[in-house]
Amino acid sequence: MTQTIGFIGLGNMGGPMAANLVKAGHRVTGYDLAPDARERAAGNGVAVAASAAEAVAAAGTVVTMLPAGRHVLDAYGELTAAAPSGALFVDCSTIAVGDARVAADLARVAGHRAVDAPVSGGVAGAEAAGLTFMVGADAADFADAEPLLAAMGRRVVHCGGSGAGQAAKICNNMILGVSMIAVSEAFVLGESLGLSHQALFDVASTASGQCWALTANCPVPGPVPASPANRDYAAGFAATLMAKDLGLAADAATASAVPAELGRRAAELYAAFAQDEGAGLDFSAIITTLREGAA
Ligand code: NAD
């Protein structure tokens, strides 16, 4: 069924996601602060509004894809006032669990419904409608959001109530950040022991060291031709985004009094890396700093 959607945040992820909603036959009105993002969206069939409020004025569903929690909370003030009563608010940005719950409360207090639905899959997944959505919502709101999310992704998982989607996202990315460091340390140790990259890969990829960081995003060139290591670590999944997600995980661990010692250490290493030589690179490039430490 055709829906009227207001889409706020038409950047690297939001742009192609909005385009996929248009392709699925929905009426999408979008807004972004950046003129080039607005132009690209217009080229993909999105009706571009003059303001965020105008974009959602007739929307049954409001999708946000913004950089961080403060952008979402700022925008929700204006959006919840402008959208028609009972609109379904779907925030796909990666933000703190606590911020997601505050955003959902803002929507509900204004007479709307709310879902947090962060994604995994990156820009390639957004373009190919191949994202995984992790959803925090009650059962009725999840049922309403699911068909729209399915038009932008391949998998839609209901993780629990408000904030549960964000919780799943940061827990998953904590696994990924820690495992990328573990894989990188193993390659650096292997190098110093005279082990070839291919030999370590052939063993670990079919043994108990197997994981996505090794078999899909291998941090050394060679064994996995499609991994960013083969193209000078062009992202991929940017180190800055990994640093952001690990920071959210570390903050959540502190708030919940969970030690998460490796997750916190990974957050520190990625924060330093993303600020320095890792800015703009894929997160697997952290192996270069770990190797420098070894030398
Ligand atoms: P981006 O910076 O490319 O896009 C964000 C867009 O929001 C920008 O175009 C910006 O102009 C716009 N914006 C900011 N404030 C606004 C406002 N008040 N009103 C309207 N537009 C506004 O970022 P992105 O890569 O698209 O990421 C978006 C979110 O998705 C982030 O939370 C990120 O952590 C998450 N995410 C990104 C990836 C990825 O690979 N890029 C993967 C998974 C999740």
Side-chain angles (χ1 to χ4, degrees), residues 117-285:
V119 306
S120 162
V123 176
E127 286 169 348
L131 296 170
T132 294
F133 286 90
M134 299 151 253
V135 186
D138 67 27
D141 291 346
F142 175 75
D144 281 353
E146 191 178 17
L148 274 190
L149 299 177
M152 300 183 281
R154 208 170 14 233
R155 249 195 116 221
V156 183
V157 182
H158 190 193
C159 300
S162 280
Q166 299 292 352
K169 166 84 184 170
I170 57 171
C171 288
N172 177 70
N173 279 18
M174 189 169 82
I175 296 174
L176 179 58
V178 170
S179 59
M180 181 54 80
I181 291 170
V183 167
S184 298
E185 287 185 345
F187 274 113
V188 172
L189 178 59
E191 286 164 8
S192 76
L193 297 174
L195 196 57
S196 76
H197 291 159
Q198 193 65 49
L200 176 54
F201 179 85
D202 288 346
V203 171
S205 64
T206 54
S208 43
Q210 190 276 332
C211 60
W212 190 90
L214 175 71
T215 58
N217 218 79
C218 188
V220 294
V224 178
S227 80
N230 298 285
R231 40 175 209 270
D232 293 331
Y233 299 100
F237 183 49
T240 43
L241 287 175
M242 177 51 88
K244 171 194 167 184
D245 293 355
L246 286 169
L248 291 173
D251 289 347
T254 299
S256 318
V258 169
E261 286 179 37
L262 296 186
R264 286 176 204 275
R265 185 69 188 124
E268 288 168 5
L269 289 172
Y270 268 106
F273 180 59
Q275 251 174 30
D276 195 3
E277 67 260 49
L281 297 182
D282 185 77
F283 79 116
S284 59

Side-chain angles (χ1 to χ4, degrees), residues 8 11-13 32-33 65-67 93-94 119 122 169 241 244:
I8 310 301
N12 292 328
M13 296 293 289
D32 193 293
L33 292 176
M65 193 49 163
L66 297 169
S93 329
T94 302
V119 306
K169 166 84 184 170
L241 287 175
K244 171 194 167 184

Side-chain angles (χ1 to χ4, degrees), residues 65-75 91 93-96 99 244 248:
M65 193 49 163
L66 297 169
R70 66 195 157 84
H71 305 95
V72 174
L73 294 179
D74 281 356
D91 179 37
S93 329
T94 302
I95 68 175
D99 285 347
K244 171 194 167 184
L248 291 173

Side-chain angles (χ1 to χ4, degrees), residues 26-126:
H26 299 295
R27 275 187 299 272
V28 184
T29 305
Y31 181 71
D32 193 293
L33 292 176
D36 58 328
R38 296 200 294 267
E39 241 170 70
R40 263 198 312 275
N44 287 326
V46 174
V48 174
S51 68
E54 188 184 303
V56 304
T61 303
V62 175
V63 183
T64 41
M65 193 49 163
L66 297 169
R70 66 195 157 84
H71 305 95
V72 174
L73 294 179
D74 281 356
Y76 263 43
E78 184 186 5
L79 298 175
T80 55
S85 181
L88 181 65
F89 275 68
V90 181
D91 179 37
C92 296
S93 329
T94 302
I95 68 175
V97 175
D99 285 347
R101 293 186 177 140
V102 172
D105 284 345
L106 286 173
R108 289 194 191 107
V109 164
H112 304 300
R113 297 166 297 142
V115 166
D116 52 284
V119 306
S120 162
V123 176

